[in-house]
Amino acid sequence: MRAMITMTAVAGLLAGLATAATAGERVTWRTCGDGIQCADVSVPVDWARPNGPRTSIGLAKLPARDQSRKLGPLVANLGGPGPTVQYLPQFKDSFAELTQWFDVIIFDPRGFGASQGVSCPTPAPVPDFAHWPPTERTPYERYAEANRHFAENCTPALGALRDKLNSWQGAHDLDAIRMALGERKLNYYGNSFGTVYAQNYVELFGDKVNRMYLDSVFDHSNRDHRSWAMSGALVAEGNLHRFAKWAEREPTSALHGRDVLATWDRVIAAAEREPIPAPGAEPGRVVTASEIVSLAPSGFEAAWPDFAKALAQADKGDATLFATQRRGAKDPDLSRIALCSDFPYDVSYDGLKRVESDVQARAPRVGYRLVWLMGYHCAGLPKIGVYPPKPIKAKNLPPILVASGTYDDATTPEHAKRVSAQLPGSRYLSAEGGHAQYWGGRNACVRDRVHRYLTSGELPAPGSHCAA
């Protein structure tokens, strides 16, 4: 903790050293296919020792359509933390409108993908979802031990980056990108974890910001894990109620005309008494109450019809559709090491159980599972190179635009509002929908407000809301 406080106290001095360390370096672009240009920016491994060993940050550029009339570069990070440069050909159309005005420049965080990426020799573990959210200590502590071994095995591959993956380092990398682009001020678009770099950037380099748009804010200003998790839990619980209303009224729903919440409660109670057989899956497969909770629908409405079928079938004693339901892709292995350096909350079994107890009082059916999000990532990991959440103290900022989807339980409206309130002159834009309103949701109203802001500085009126 003393090391973290010291870093904060000398931030101004180190920002000056950072400038000296990168002054004179400029980006050299190369063609890398699909109309995309790539480049690398050399940065210190440790910004507290700017003359020490170096690593590189990988960039990918979608050039502005009209280079003679462009407004400059818009630097973007889409979250994770993880690599996105390699996927840009697949989602570049999401940013086509922005190339009317900007060179859109995506970067991979240090240690990932194009940024002199690190590959851990063994994959990060995945918990046994029959016991997740955990109801007993032993499965959780077994998972924590596996996660600890994963991190230890990755140490040689990380080398000097082992304890240098936090967002304090990342914010300095972002400023190095600005300087390498030859820009006096930064235009930035941060999505999800990309907003964590921004929250630290505005404190360290607030006078270097021109325009900044933050979408689906991952709040790095809240030290209290209980309230941090509570906001997500309440949104998740609300999403279950939204699903129930849809399933009751939708004629094509397998639960049409039924009391869906009563059905949910009945299925969970049955699974708690004895796991429900899944005869259509592998022999002997059963499904626990924890597994059903872990699969509960979020704000992603496209999954609701299948979930209604699974719940109706389980109510008849057959959990096959739960047992065979595909889960989302696992985050890149290194992401948990980077994320947990910025969120070193207490993820002991006892600590999370205490938080869960408080959260269950207000989010008893599914919301409490959000308490275990940090446990999933951080259980057993060593607390090294940490830069914990803290209130944002930013000065000399221009107005910043912050947006959030009302049904996003991972980066909630409460997170966005909390961060926005700490950015003088900022404006919060509410939007109906889930995660990544500009990029993933492609909400036309949000896009219009973002374009106006980025091109002219025009903010939405206070209290503005974008419908789905």
Side-chain angles (χ1 to χ4, degrees):
M1 180 61 75
R2 279 197 297 270
M4 186 275 290
I5 294 171
T6 301
M7 281 200 297
T8 303
V10 300
L13 171 62
L14 293 177
L17 291 174
T19 303
T22 57
E25 297 182 10
R26 290 293 182 265
V27 169
T28 301
W29 296 103
R30 61 186 182 274
T31 300
C32 50
D34 295 299
I36 300 168
Q37 297 176 4
C38 296
D40 303 289
V41 175
S42 175
V43 299
V45 166
D46 183 1
W47 281 98
R49 296 171 179 80
N51 295 318
R54 301 182 77 78
T55 187
S56 67
I57 304 298
L59 312 179
K61 177 170 71 172
L62 295 173
R65 301 177 202 174
D66 187 343
Q67 290 291 306
S68 67
R69 301 181 63 183
K70 69 180 180 182
L71 300 179
L74 173 66
V75 180
N77 183 270
L78 304 181
T84 51
V85 165
Q86 68 194 78
Y87 304 115
L88 187 54
Q90 301 171 30
F91 55 69
K92 66 179 183 178
D93 289 349
S94 300
F95 305 104
E97 289 181 88
L98 289 170
T99 61
Q100 295 178 65
W101 309 284
F102 301 100
D103 292 328
V104 178
I105 298 172
I106 309 292
F107 73 93
D108 280 348
R110 52 174 49 214
F112 289 94
S115 292
Q116 203 167 323
V118 174
S119 295
C120 295
T122 56
V126 174
D128 176 2
F129 287 104
H131 302 285
W132 198 277
T135 57
E136 298 176 353
R137 179 187 303 274
T138 298
Y140 183 76
E141 293 190 344
R142 188 184 303 125
Y143 174 70
E145 183 66 10
N147 210 25
R148 183 180 69 81
H149 280 302
F150 151 74
E152 289 176 348
N153 290 340
C154 194
T155 295
L158 282 166
L161 283 175
R162 179 173 180 249
D163 59 348
K164 303 296 186 297
L165 296 177
N166 62 54
S167 62
W168 184 87
Q169 302 282 356
H172 284 81
D173 293 343
L174 181 54
D175 200 54
I177 294 171
R178 173 192 65 80
M179 288 185 286
L181 294 171
E183 295 297 312
R184 190 174 63 87
K185 299 275 188 176
L186 176 72
N187 293 316
Y188 182 69
Y189 162 26
N191 180 77
S192 194
F193 199 85
T195 69
V196 176
Y197 305 122
Q199 289 165 64
N200 288 284
Y201 188 89
V202 297
E203 184 163 306
L204 293 165
F205 307 103
D207 61 340
K208 304 298 184 185
V209 176
N210 182 39
R211 305 269 158 72
M212 182 174 280
Y213 168 58
L214 306 182
D215 190 324
S216 304
V217 174
F218 209 114
D219 182 9
H220 191 247
S221 71
N222 190 351
R223 295 188 177 110
D224 178 27
H225 184 218
R226 178 190 172 280
S227 65
W228 192 95
M230 180 72 81
S231 64
L234 294 177
V235 175
E237 199 77 5
N239 284 333
L240 179 66
H241 284 257
R242 287 198 309 120
F243 161 76
K245 290 179 181 178
W246 171 87
E248 289 171 8
R249 298 171 183 172
E250 171 57 44
T252 63
S253 163
L255 295 169
H256 178 242
R258 296 168 62 175
D259 185 333
V260 174
L261 291 179
T263 302
W264 169 270
D265 292 341
R266 187 164 55 247
V267 168
I268 294 298
E272 287 176 337
R273 287 192 300 272
E274 184 175 354
I276 301 173
E282 62 266 29
R285 178 75 156 90
V286 295
V287 174
T288 64
S290 287
E291 189 168 3
I292 296 172
V293 169
S294 75
L295 292 167
S298 64
F300 187 52
E301 289 96 339
W304 288 0
D306 287 342
F307 190 83
K309 291 177 186 176
L311 190 60
Q313 191 178 85
D315 194 31
K316 297 177 181 177
D318 181 353
T320 296
L321 293 179
F322 283 128
T324 56
Q325 184 169 328
R326 288 186 62 187
R327 295 183 180 272
K330 189 185 75 168
D331 288 340
D333 292 334
L334 193 64
S335 68
R336 61 183 61 187
I337 295 176
L339 182 148
C340 299
S341 68
D342 278 294
F343 292 89
Y345 291 133
D346 176 8
V347 293
S348 66
Y349 180 79
D350 289 338
L352 291 180
K353 272 296 180 183
R354 285 192 294 270
V355 175
E356 182 190 66
S357 178
D358 291 340
V359 170
Q360 270 191 312
R362 298 180 63 188
R365 288 187 169 97
V366 299
Y368 70 92
R369 71 184 181 188
L370 270 295
V371 170
W372 299 91
L373 176 67
M374 286 301 174
Y376 174 93
H377 293 291
C378 307
L381 293 187
K383 287 182 168 58
I384 58 170
V386 299
Y387 194 58
K390 59 183 178 56
I392 303 168
K393 297 179 181 179
K395 298 179 180 178
N396 304 316
L397 280 181
I400 290 173
L401 178 60
V402 180
S404 183
T406 50
Y407 308 136
D408 184 357
D409 60 15
T411 56
T412 68
E414 188 65 30
H415 286 192
K417 291 175 185 177
R418 180 183 174 90
V419 168
S420 180
Q422 297 172 76
L423 304 176
S426 71
R427 184 65 43 82
Y428 174 69
L429 174 65
S430 171
E432 184 179 358
H435 194 66
Q437 281 294 297
Y438 185 95
W439 168 43
R442 300 197 186 189
N443 184 308
C445 168
V446 170
R447 284 180 161 247
D448 175 67
R449 302 299 194 278
V450 171
H451 296 159
R452 293 186 192 185
Y453 165 72
L454 290 175
T455 56
S456 69
E458 177 187 343
L459 290 169
S464 293
H465 175 75
C466 284

